[in-house]
Amino acid sequence: MFGRRKKNEAPVEPAGDAALADETAAGADDGDDATEQRLNLPPAPRPDGPWDASEVKEPGEGRVDLGGLFVPGVEGMELRVEVAGDAIVAATVVLQDSAVQLQAFAAPRNEGIWGEVREEIAAGITQQGGVIDEVEGPLGWELRAQVPVQLPDGTNGVQVVRFIGVDGPRWFLRGVISGQGAVQPQAAGVLEHIFRDTVVIRGDAPMAPRDPIVLKLPDDAQMVPDGVQQDAAEGSRFGGGVERLERGPEITEIR
């Protein structure tokens, strides 16, 4: 079951009589108000990134230029881009036995959307029979999920993924960590660094909130044949398991 909680918070005891039940119901209403207030909070400070274009003098230094995102280059990584229709909307960095998918969206000027997006992701996965746990991780609040998938032999299984997100000025950056970095979060240090050091280029053009920030291929991209089937980690544009992104070209970047 999906539930919100804070570290070291004691479990709520069940009500023992009608009066206590009424108090619990009243408390639930207060909790709804608190949740609504939390969802409408402005973006939190980002002292360690991800970065807005206005915060970095040379975003292309040590990063791969994907237009809407500048992604840090790491030795030995593979960079895969993914498309929705005719547009490139996501990039996945594969490093050994772990991966992180990066996708940026437009957001309101003075309101963060990560809290609301977490709610949507959780609802989508639990509706599929998956399991969601909300925890406070190295990058703030995140979702750790067990997502139902069909294995290559046709049997049913689960895939463990981590959904991370950060609100910026007029943008939201979402990451999906899969592979060993999701099964053992302590092994995801490099992927978390890549997420933190990514630069988002929102641009000044009007965009509706939640519209994906479109990416492009690097000018000097070296294409690699698509020989590996994509992991079934991504679902809706926020990772809810409804709409699937199509695998696009692969780029090998060695720094």
Side-chain angles (χ1 to χ4, degrees), residues 38-215:
R38 187 183 73 171
L39 296 183
N40 293 329
L41 290 175
R46 296 166 289 102
D48 300 317
W51 311 110
D52 184 70
S54 64
E55 300 167 336
V56 179
K57 291 183 179 179
E58 298 183 12
E61 184 176 350
R63 299 181 181 90
V64 182
D65 180 2
L66 297 177
L69 293 177
F70 279 73
V71 179
V74 177
E75 183 177 357
M77 83 180 195
E78 294 179 7
L79 183 60
R80 302 171 180 171
V81 295
E82 297 161 39
V83 299
D86 296 328
I88 299 175
V89 296
T92 299
V93 175
V94 181
L95 190 62
Q96 297 179 353
D97 53 1
S98 299
V100 59
Q101 185 202 60
L102 304 171
Q103 194 168 10
F105 304 88
R109 181 180 298 274
N110 298 316
E111 181 179 322
I113 65 173
W114 177 218
E116 184 177 353
V117 167
R118 289 201 308 275
E119 295 275 6
E120 296 174 4
I121 294 173
I125 292 177
T126 53
Q127 287 173 6
Q128 299 177 60
V131 177
I132 287 287
D133 191 20
E134 183 181 48
V135 301
E136 191 169 9
L139 298 163
W141 286 105
E142 66 178 70
L143 297 178
R144 297 182 183 177
Q146 299 179 42
V147 183
V149 295
Q150 187 174 56
L151 302 177
D153 61 2
T155 60
N156 295 325
V158 296
Q159 181 176 12
V160 178
V161 293
R162 292 171 57 196
F163 293 93
I164 55 179
V166 169
D167 292 302
R170 300 176 65 222
W171 52 259
F172 162 67
L173 181 64
R174 188 217 65 180
V176 183
I177 297 177
S178 58
Q180 196 65 21
V183 177
Q184 296 181 332
Q186 65 271 22
V190 176
L191 298 182
E192 292 168 358
H193 165 75
I194 290 172
F195 183 85
R196 279 195 182 99
D197 203 33
T198 293
V199 179
V200 180
I201 312 296
R202 161 64 173 80
D204 297 325
M207 295 179 67
R210 299 182 173 230
D211 277 356
I213 296 175
V214 177
L215 309 181

